[in-house]
Amino acid sequence: MKQIGFIFLLMLGASQVQAQDILVNTLKNEIYRPIKKDKDKDSINWRWKRGGLFNFSLSQGSLSNWAAGGDNFSLAVSSYFNYFVYYKKERHSWDNNLDVNLGYIQTTSLGGRKNDDRIDFVSKYGYKVDTLGKWYLSGLFNFRSQFFDGYTYPNGAPVFASSFLSPAFVILAAGFDYKPTDKFSLFLSPITSRWVIVANQYLSNQKAYGVDSGSHILNEFGAFATINYNTTIIKNVDYRGRVDLFSNYLKQPQNINFFMTNQFNFKINKYLTASYSLDMIYDDNVKIFGPNGDSPALQVKSIIGLGFTMPLKKLHKPVPVNNAPPSIPTIIDPRINLNTSGNHL
């Protein structure tokens, strides 16, 4: 009986140890079992993201013995390029966006001239200050200018009005950025420095864009706000828009400088799209309009085009993940004691 009882105890202990091993292995497999994730829902798990869009439009018209009148020939070319680079890690975010617009029109009556010319770069850094991830303490840098000489035609004759870095607008601002979604952001800054650069000596001598005669830089200090919004309105119709507002504390703060840009893209197929852009600018220092060419005015640019669009592939650099499971400590049943010789008691 003693031998049978001893054998029974050994079998019972072995079964308990085996059961313990099965339990530990089962828990281990459940804890570190890979979880399938939806590709779209998990798209926010990145640190670097970049992408963009290129659009090229061409339109042509011709008339022959047309009683209603018009140009015998007209040709218009317009292009739009956008590229962005975004970064985020823990509480930090850094958004960079570049927009470039170029357009040219040729007609028999007016000859050739540009109808669009803009380079616009915005870089914004933010540090998350709330638990919901909607408010950021942020700094913003913005540079806006053009590439080629520009002319106005008040009486049909060209008048030199602008050039590269003449003007150029530079904004450096500190404030708060509200980003409730990836589609919308509102940046508010009570501390903003704005520079107007007029590098061309002729325009500088004319006191163009508010600079003193012979001076090349005008510095203003005030408040700044910018709103950015992008969305898919309906299937195959995308919209990107931005509004900038600036008030100069030092001179006529009630005269708010205004800049607005809108871009609509209507997708026809993979590469063919229709586009519409609408830009509006009001700057109290740009006094080249009116009967005498010495008054500010609302500037409006509207372009409709049909052409080629190539989306630049969005690339994500995912957050590095350590998939190696940590070591699991050995679990010892308190009912099993080991002596120094390793024999079960």
Side-chain angles (χ1 to χ4, degrees):
M1 290 294 294
K2 290 183 179 181
Q3 292 178 347
I4 295 174
F6 181 71
I7 294 172
F8 176 77
L9 289 176
L10 286 177
M11 294 176 62
L12 180 61
S15 64
Q16 289 178 342
V17 171
Q18 184 178 8
Q20 172 186 294
D21 291 339
I22 293 173
L23 176 61
V24 170
N25 290 330
T26 301
L27 290 174
K28 180 179 178 180
N29 292 333
E30 287 298 318
I31 292 173
Y32 298 106
R33 177 173 56 87
I35 300 174
K36 294 182 180 180
K37 298 181 180 181
D38 184 88
K39 204 168 187 179
D40 295 331
K41 293 181 180 179
D42 204 47
S43 61
I44 61 171
N45 189 26
W46 52 268
R47 286 188 181 171
W48 288 97
K49 182 169 71 172
R50 61 183 184 271
L53 176 73
F54 173 72
N55 177 269
F56 178 82
S57 300
L58 176 67
S59 62
Q60 185 270 328
S62 61
L63 301 175
S64 178
N65 300 323
W66 194 254
D71 281 301
N72 291 335
F73 175 84
S74 64
L75 177 68
V77 178
S78 62
S79 63
Y80 168 70
F81 173 78
N82 166 260
Y83 195 76
F84 64 83
V85 178
Y86 299 153
Y87 171 81
K88 68 177 183 180
K89 180 182 179 182
E90 298 173 352
R91 289 183 172 269
H92 304 274
S93 70
W94 185 25
D95 299 345
N96 299 275
N97 191 84
L98 174 67
D99 288 320
V100 178
N101 296 70
L102 285 174
Y104 182 82
I105 185 170
Q106 177 74 39
T107 62
T108 52
S109 61
L110 300 176
R113 63 182 70 178
K114 68 174 185 178
N115 63 352
D116 200 3
D117 186 3
R118 178 170 66 97
I119 176 173
D120 192 346
F121 174 71
V122 178
S123 181
K124 182 171 59 176
Y125 165 79
Y127 182 82
K128 185 167 59 178
V129 294
D130 69 330
T131 57
L132 298 178
K134 295 183 179 181
W135 285 96
Y136 292 78
L137 181 64
S138 299
L140 179 142
F141 170 82
N142 178 219
F143 171 83
R144 177 163 52 92
S145 187
Q146 63 190 54
F147 291 104
F148 306 106
D149 292 349
Y151 298 85
T152 59
Y153 300 83
N155 298 310
V159 176
F160 180 56
S162 59
S163 184
F164 177 64
L165 295 180
S166 300
F169 302 95
V170 178
I171 290 177
L172 191 62
F176 290 93
D177 194 21
Y178 176 63
K179 297 196 294 186
T181 69
D182 292 337
K183 297 181 179 181
F184 176 87
S185 70
L186 169 63
F187 176 81
L188 301 171
S189 171
I191 306 174
T192 301
S193 189
R194 181 177 184 259
W195 291 270
V196 181
I197 301 172
V198 182
N200 184 273
Q201 190 62 51
Y202 171 80
L203 294 175
S204 173
N205 293 337
Q206 301 298 315
K207 298 183 180 181
Y209 304 100
V211 301
D212 295 331
S213 179
S215 178
H216 296 283
I217 297 178
L218 169 67
N219 180 234
E220 299 174 320
F221 180 75
F224 174 75
T226 180
I227 301 172
N228 288 268
Y229 183 67
N230 65 87
T231 188
T232 298
I233 301 175
I234 57 176
K235 185 178 180 180
N236 297 329
V237 179
D238 296 329
Y239 168 78
R240 294 181 69 253
R242 178 175 131 216
V243 177
D244 292 351
L245 303 169
F246 176 78
S247 173
N248 184 10
Y249 291 149
L250 307 178
K251 183 180 179 181
Q252 296 179 321
Q254 72 278 7
N255 293 343
I256 297 176
N257 294 332
F258 171 82
F259 170 79
M260 182 179 187
T261 181
N262 303 272
Q263 180 75 30
F264 296 86
N265 290 303
F266 307 86
K267 185 176 180 181
I268 299 173
N269 57 33
K270 185 176 182 180
Y271 295 112
L272 187 63
T273 63
S275 62
Y276 173 67
S277 66
L278 173 65
D279 292 357
M280 292 185 287
I281 300 175
Y282 179 84
D283 191 329
D284 202 50
N285 292 324
V286 183
K287 299 179 179 180
I288 59 174
F289 308 106
N292 300 320
D294 58 357
S295 301
L298 178 64
Q299 307 167 53
V300 180
K301 175 173 65 68
S302 176
I303 297 177
I304 298 175
L306 176 67
F308 169 81
T309 293
M310 182 178 68
L312 304 180
K313 184 178 180 181
K314 293 182 180 180
L315 300 176
H316 299 72
K317 187 175 181 181
V319 177
V321 178
N322 182 12
N323 293 320
S327 59
I328 297 182
T330 303
I331 302 177
I332 301 176
D333 194 322
R335 292 170 293 183
I336 302 176
N337 297 321
L338 299 177
N339 61 11
T340 56
S341 63
N343 296 325
H344 290 266
L345 295 179

